[in-house]
């Protein structure tokens, strides 16, 4: 599936070992996120790009999430231009939550997607 020219996958194709990048803003992340995801808000992404290159698996895919898929598609496009194997996650965290995937508040509790 494509979102414009960006490769896109559905939440149900992701496995527990996949590298997730959440580009939502701090308040969205604090309310609820996928456990183990790397959080770099889209608004800070270019300045913090080095954090991704340090954390991402060498030669592996980066699955980019936002709330519904628009911001993550933009970040995935940018990453593809940088030579990173990036994939947009269709439906973002709303689809993640709807699929019954766990949402964490980062404090050991259950989070919510805002």
């Amino acid at each position: 599936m494509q979102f414009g020219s960006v490769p896109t996958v559905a939440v149900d194709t992701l496995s527990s070992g996949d590298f997730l990048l959440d580009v939502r803003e701090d308040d969205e992340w604090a309310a609820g996120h996928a456990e183990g995801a790397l959080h770099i808000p889209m608004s800070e992404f270019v300045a913090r790009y080095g954090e991704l290159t340090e954390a991402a698996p060498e030669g592996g895919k980066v699955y980019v999430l936002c709330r519904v898929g628009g911001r993550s598609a933009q970040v995935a496009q940018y990453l593809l231009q940088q030579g990173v194997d990036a994939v947009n996650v269709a439906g973002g965290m709303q689809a993640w939550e709807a699929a019954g995937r766990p949402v964490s508040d980062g404090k050991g509790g259950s989070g919510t997607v805002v």
Side-chain angles (χ1 to χ4, degrees):
M1 187 181 339
Q2 295 281 103
F3 186 98
S5 61
V6 178
T8 302
V9 297
V11 165
D12 61 3
T13 65
L14 297 173
S15 67
S16 60
D18 289 333
F19 184 84
L20 302 175
L21 170 66
D22 189 323
V23 298
R24 296 174 303 146
E25 295 305 312
D26 290 335
D27 61 325
E28 295 172 287
W29 170 263
H33 54 269
E35 196 69 48
L38 175 65
H39 177 230
I40 304 175
M42 182 177 170
S43 62
E44 303 170 17
F45 192 77
V46 174
R48 294 176 57 189
Y49 178 71
E51 292 175 41
L52 172 68
T53 58
E54 288 177 22
E58 185 71 37
K61 284 191 188 310
V62 174
Y63 293 91
V64 189
L65 285 157
C66 67
R67 188 165 153 279
V68 294
R71 288 173 287 178
S72 55
Q74 292 176 53
V75 172
Q77 179 67 51
Y78 173 80
L79 290 172
L80 289 165
Q81 291 168 351
Q82 307 308 309
V84 175
D85 189 3
V87 181
N88 184 37
V89 178
M93 283 301 297
Q94 285 187 336
W96 179 275
E97 186 176 49
R101 299 279 181 122
V103 178
S104 170
D105 66 1
K107 301 175 186 133
S110 184
T112 186
V113 176
V114 296

